[in-house]
């Protein structure tokens, strides 16, 4: 079965389920959670719950639009239709930019771990190898991307599941052979209370954890290449609540119950490694490194897939070079993948050559894109619901709850988080720097979009004006 767009339905339902689950568990969860715990104490659970709720609501809106119209452009294509060409163009390119920078961040994170294991190969060498291998799997076919992702995500899911089970047994003192004197639910309140740094720390925590949730929307992009897009979107949208509850809230709850939140090892070893070490589990660090590496590779694999499909969709709509919309006989958009990889390599190069200037700028200027994407999804859904109800009400299989009130409330919450980020002025990657640089890049892209629209309209106008004159002459 081939889609008219040239992409093929090479993703099986099991692939899609795993892509949906794996998309939520980024390396950010393993790597970034220790900073969040240090900032907000056990209260970080409220930060995760808040952002988790936000993601569930945004995914519900996206699910409503994508189930009615599954496409590889996902929210960019919906914004195009609901808000205008400029919106689809801008958010599509910003999202592509975000993932290309993520490729460099993840490739470097993976290379660090691999270099630790095999120091003979330099770090940049590992980054290159990792990028090349995953480019190859993406170029072979969408099925091979799905298969890789199925196993990567599977390892992450099993690992976090095992971590939670072992942790819970230890917390209740029923884990045989482990004498953990520190473990217990009392850790949630014993060391300065549940919110040792006050309620304000919950919001600071939100800023730290919001980025580890990016990727939940990948399932709606991938649905366009699945056997039954509508069913796939509905399923992944409905299951996101338990995925976030189990993987994020469940595993972080285990970490802060096994150890006091202010235990130094959380900062030095990372939250999950510290938790495993506290149970006296041998080689905990190595086991966790392997899982983090799997997450990094999974994130790279999906990032490359996502960036290339967004480029493909932009090409199809005339918002990117036409070549991006061409697929080979296996339904793979070669040019879109290679262009995304090329920029990924450039970003990796910047990461090694100018980590504190060019690369820091790239990371900061793409940092708030997640929030922009979610905001655009909110506004698209407000318009799109009316369009779907007017044109094809039977396609409303997934419905946003309490429409339009909850949509407006979600948009207000996202704007509040962006506003709160402006008050964070500490360090080179402060919230204010991230928001202002991201807004700057967004403004440039929107200006390009509007100019492009004017040029296109200008070209069409003379053609329309000439037509009646010809008809008069003919008459």
């Amino acid at each position: 079965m081939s889609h008219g767009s040239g992409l093929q339905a090479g993703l099986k339902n099991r692939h899609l389920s795993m892509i949906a689950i794996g998309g939520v568990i980024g390396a950010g969860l393993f790597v970034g959670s220790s900073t969040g715990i240090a900032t907000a104490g056990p209260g970080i659970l409220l930060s995760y719950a808040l952002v988790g709720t936000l993601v569930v609501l945004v995914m519900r809106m996206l699910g409503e639009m994508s189930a009615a119209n599954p496409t590889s452009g996902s929210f960019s294509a919906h914004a195009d239709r609901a808000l205008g060409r400029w919106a689809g163009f801008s958010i599509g390119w910003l999202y592509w930019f975000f993932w290309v920078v993520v490729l460099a961040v993840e490739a470097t994170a993976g290379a660090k771990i691999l270099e630790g294991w095999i120091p003979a190969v330099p770090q940049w060498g590992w980054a290159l190898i990792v990028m090349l291998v995953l480019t190859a799997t993406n170029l072979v076919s969408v099925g091979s991307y799905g298969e890789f992702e199925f196993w990567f995500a599977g390892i992450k899911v099993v690992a976090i599941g095992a971590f939670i089970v072992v942790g819970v047994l230890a917390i209740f003192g029923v884990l045989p052979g482990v004498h953990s004197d520190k473990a217990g639910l009392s850790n949630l309140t014993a060391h300065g209370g549940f919110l040792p740094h006050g309620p304000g720390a919950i919001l600071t925590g939100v800023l730290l954890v919001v980025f580890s949730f990016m990727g939940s929307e990948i399932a709606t992009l991938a649905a366009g290449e699945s056997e039954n897009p509508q069913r796939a979107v509905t399923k992944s949208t409905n299951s996101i609540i338990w995925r976030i509850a189990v993987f994020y809230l469940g595993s972080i709850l285990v970490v802060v119950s096994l150890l006091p939140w202010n235990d130094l090892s959380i900062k030095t070893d990372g939250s999950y490694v510290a938790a495993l070490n506290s149970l006296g589990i041998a080689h905990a660090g190595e086991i966790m490194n392997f899982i983090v590496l799997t997450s990094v590779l999974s994130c790279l694999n999906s990032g490359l897939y996502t960036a290339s499909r967004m480029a493909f969709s932009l090409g199809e709509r005339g918002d990117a070079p036409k070549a991006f919309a061409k697929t080979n006989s296996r339904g793979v958009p070669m040019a879109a993948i290679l262009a995304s990889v090329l920029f990924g390599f450039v970003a990796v190069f910047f990461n090694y050559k100018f980590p504190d200037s060019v690369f820091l700028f790239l990371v900061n200027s793409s940092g708030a894109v997640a929030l922009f994407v979610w905001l655009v999804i909110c506004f698209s859904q407000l318009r799109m619901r009316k369009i779907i109800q007017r044109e094809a009400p039977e396609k409303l299989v997934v419905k946003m709850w309490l429409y339009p009130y909850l949509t407006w409330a979600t948009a207000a919450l996202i704007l509040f988080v962006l506003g709160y980020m402006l008050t964070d002025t500490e360090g080179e990657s402060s919230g204010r720097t991230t928001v202002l640089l991201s807004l700057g890049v967004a403004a440039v892209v929107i200006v390009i979009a509007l100019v492009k629209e004017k040029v296109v309209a200008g070209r069409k106008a003379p053609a329309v004006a000439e037509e009646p004159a010809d008809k008069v002459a003919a008459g």
Side-chain angles (χ1 to χ4, degrees):
M1 171 187 164
S2 170
H3 287 231
S5 63
L7 293 176
Q8 290 176 0
L11 291 175
K12 299 184 173 70
N13 282 329
R14 68 181 174 92
H15 289 156
L16 231 102
S17 310
M18 270 306 183
I19 288 168
I21 294 172
V24 183
I25 314 167
L29 174 62
F30 300 114
V31 184
S33 52
S34 48
T35 324
I37 293 170
T39 307
I44 195 69
L45 284 164
L46 296 178
S47 308
Y48 273 104
L50 199 63
V51 181
T53 307
L54 199 62
V55 172
V56 167
L57 294 171
V58 169
M59 282 301 293
R60 186 80 191 176
M61 296 173 217
L62 184 54
E64 175 182 299
M65 297 186 287
S66 294
N69 176 26
T71 159
S72 62
S74 188
F75 51 83
S76 165
H78 305 320
D80 197 310
R81 181 134 189 248
L83 306 174
R85 283 297 293 271
W86 67 273
F89 176 97
S90 310
I91 207 67
W93 276 114
L94 281 172
Y95 190 67
W96 179 85
F97 170 59
F98 170 85
W99 278 109
V100 171
V101 176
V102 166
L103 289 182
V105 175
E106 301 288 342
T108 310
K112 270 187 187 143
I113 294 174
L114 287 162
E115 191 194 22
W117 290 342
I118 307 171
V121 180
Q123 205 182 319
W124 64 265
W126 278 121
L128 195 66
I129 293 166
V130 165
M131 291 278 280
L132 289 171
V133 170
L134 292 174
T135 304
T137 57
N138 269 275
L139 285 173
V140 172
S141 70
V142 66
S144 72
Y145 153 72
E147 201 57 41
F148 253 71
E149 198 44 42
F150 178 78
W151 292 104
F152 282 155
I155 292 172
K156 287 193 291 196
V157 170
V158 170
I160 292 194
F163 175 79
I164 293 172
V165 171
V166 169
V168 167
L169 291 176
I171 292 163
F172 293 107
V174 287
L175 191 65
V178 168
H179 305 292
S180 178
D181 48 344
K182 290 180 180 173
L185 290 173
S186 58
N187 279 328
L188 294 175
T189 50
H191 308 275
F194 186 64
L195 290 169
H197 298 311
I202 299 171
L203 282 174
T204 316
V206 164
L207 309 187
L208 292 167
V209 303
V210 82
F211 307 111
S212 59
F213 279 91
M214 194 65 172
S216 341
E217 61 298 300
I218 294 176
T220 61
L221 277 109
E225 290 176 83
S226 70
E227 294 156 346
N228 184 342
Q230 199 175 40
R231 178 173 169 262
V233 168
T234 311
K235 209 172 145 193
S236 71
T237 310
N238 290 338
S239 66
I240 190 148
I241 299 179
W242 70 259
R243 294 195 322 251
I244 287 175
V246 172
F247 296 128
Y248 278 85
L249 294 174
S251 65
I252 296 289
L253 177 63
V254 166
V255 172
V256 289
S257 302
L258 283 177
L259 282 167
W261 67 272
N262 51 6
D263 194 298
L264 287 175
S265 62
I266 291 183
K267 210 157 194 173
T268 51
D269 303 337
S271 39
Y272 289 80
V273 176
L276 288 175
N277 278 335
S278 75
L279 299 179
I281 292 174
H283 309 296
E286 287 307 307
I287 297 167
M288 214 60 221
N289 267 340
F290 172 70
I291 295 163
V292 173
L293 181 65
T294 313
S295 295
V296 163
L297 295 176
S298 154
C299 197
L300 261 173
N301 197 26
S302 286
L304 190 49
Y305 172 81
T306 311
S308 62
R309 290 322 185 263
M310 189 53 87
F312 170 84
S313 174
L314 286 164
E316 256 193 334
R317 287 177 274 146
D319 288 338
K322 278 272 179 283
F324 285 6
K326 288 197 171 70
T327 55
N328 64 12
S329 57
R330 294 187 302 279
V332 174
M334 302 273 285
I337 291 178
L338 292 171
S340 305
V341 172
L342 183 69
F343 277 88
F345 276 129
V346 170
V348 170
F349 168 74
F350 285 146
N351 196 356
Y352 288 105
K353 204 81 184 128
F354 317 105
D356 299 327
S357 50
V358 183
F359 191 69
L360 192 66
F361 168 79
L362 287 178
V363 171
N364 282 338
S365 59
S366 65
V369 167
L371 293 162
F372 297 164
V373 167
W374 296 347
L375 204 52
V376 167
I377 291 172
C378 292
F379 292 128
S380 301
Q381 191 261 339
L382 286 168
R383 297 285 296 276
M384 202 59 150
R385 167 69 75 94
K386 292 179 182 131
I387 296 173
I388 300 169
Q389 276 174 332
R390 195 172 60 238
E391 293 177 5
E394 74 283 355
K395 285 188 173 175
L396 270 177
V397 277
V398 176
K399 278 189 176 177
M400 176 58 184
W401 308 294
L402 297 176
Y403 166 85
Y405 310 108
L406 206 46
T407 305
W408 279 111
T410 309
L413 185 58
I414 296 168
L415 285 168
F416 174 74
V417 171
L418 280 166
Y420 187 77
M421 283 175 82
L422 290 171
T423 64
D424 169 37
T425 52
E426 282 175 38
E428 288 179 319
S429 296
S430 68
R432 178 175 292 181
T433 314
T434 301
V435 172
L436 294 177
L437 284 177
S438 299
L439 279 172
V441 171
V444 170
V445 176
I446 291 170
V447 167
I448 295 171
L450 293 172
V451 168
K452 182 178 172 292
E453 218 167 288
K454 270 232 159 39
V455 171
V456 171
R459 277 196 203 132
K460 280 182 184 166
V464 173
E466 280 162 25
E467 228 168 52
D470 293 345
K471 281 185 182 154
V472 171

